Amino acid sequence: MPTRRTALALLAGSATALALGTAPARAHARPFGRYGSPARRLDRATLYVDARGRGDHTTVQAAVDAATGTGRTLVIAPGTYRETVDIPADRTGLTLVGASGDPRDTVIVYDHANGTPRPDGSGTYGTSGSATVTARPAGLTARALTFANDWLRADHPDYTGTQAVAIKVTGDRSAFHDCRFLGHQDTLYADSASLTDFARQYYRDCYVEGDVDFVFGRASAVLDRCHFRTLARTDLAGPPHGFVFAPSTAGADPHGFLVLRSRVTSTAPDGYFKLARPWVPSSDLTAHPMLTVRDSHLGAGIDTDEPYGTMSAGFPWQDQRFAEYRNTGPGARVTVPANRPQLTASEAREHTPAAWLGDWKP
């Protein structure tokens, strides 16, 4: 049976090896494609990253550190960048671009988990600290990149903190186009900087995979035309294998997760996954998680009788803001109406990207 890292590489495509691979041969002659080069720079605001040394920097973090000010662009050559990246909040308007245009070619990956000990002996990384990439600035845009966390439960059977985040996003007006997010538990952390900061985020034509709560957080996030892939777990004898969404929307925020024109597929047996469960964190017991899934195709991996679960006693999913509208596919069948709250046509008119994003048009 392949290891998780091998599986990630296979899912990402043969051109990219997440653990040790090299950049695809087709990218060697012009590592930055149509985006220029250090010798033919598009403008002064553009920096080039290439692990082979043909850019301004060989690591993404070094380029982030150099990209001071507002409105900078990082063009990242194909390759595997095994590092953690922390983007400070003052890098407003930053754009990260995978130079080839194919997100499978440019991969930022690391393998920290919640329970991984910090090297200075100060404890473990925790969920937020496990993130391969932490994106804090407002106005961040990313295109054609893969963000991954390839930490494996099988390698650390003694760990209880198995959350392993590929990316944590907290900035308002953060947009991701044609990106891939690979991991197991807590892959994509769509969050905000504080309880009173209703961070708007937009994900378009993205691919997200995982098992437990692999899209979670309190952002006002629109996930449009995305593909969510649930992964089978060999460490469990039966269902449920996990949950796709785990919103933790602040009680005062009128908008949580809006999923539309998307699809959910699975490598697990039919009915082994729940669509969602609410996350009410101990740091915010006033949270009122919100999720709308509409006009999407739900595959057979979703449990139709009980598509939602409860994470914490005292905060049942029925008390949260969960709803569906006009979904299709075997996982969307309404077998127990009380367990599948549906929007009316009039309510659905309020659950749109325009309502979520307001005056921002990503």
Side-chain angles (χ1 to χ4, degrees), residues 132-159:
T132 297
V133 175
T134 303
R136 308 175 193 272
L140 177 81
T141 301
R143 298 181 184 276
L145 292 167
T146 291
F147 303 91
N149 190 318
D150 62 359
W151 184 87
L152 304 174
R153 291 189 188 97
D155 291 347
H156 305 278
D158 55 322
Y159 278 35

Side-chain angles (χ1 to χ4, degrees), residues 55 60 88 90 147 192 207 258 261 270 308 310-311 332 344:
V60 178
D90 63 1
F147 303 91
S192 68
Y207 171 90
L258 172 63
R261 298 176 291 205
D270 292 356
Y308 301 105
T310 293
M311 185 180 301
T344 65

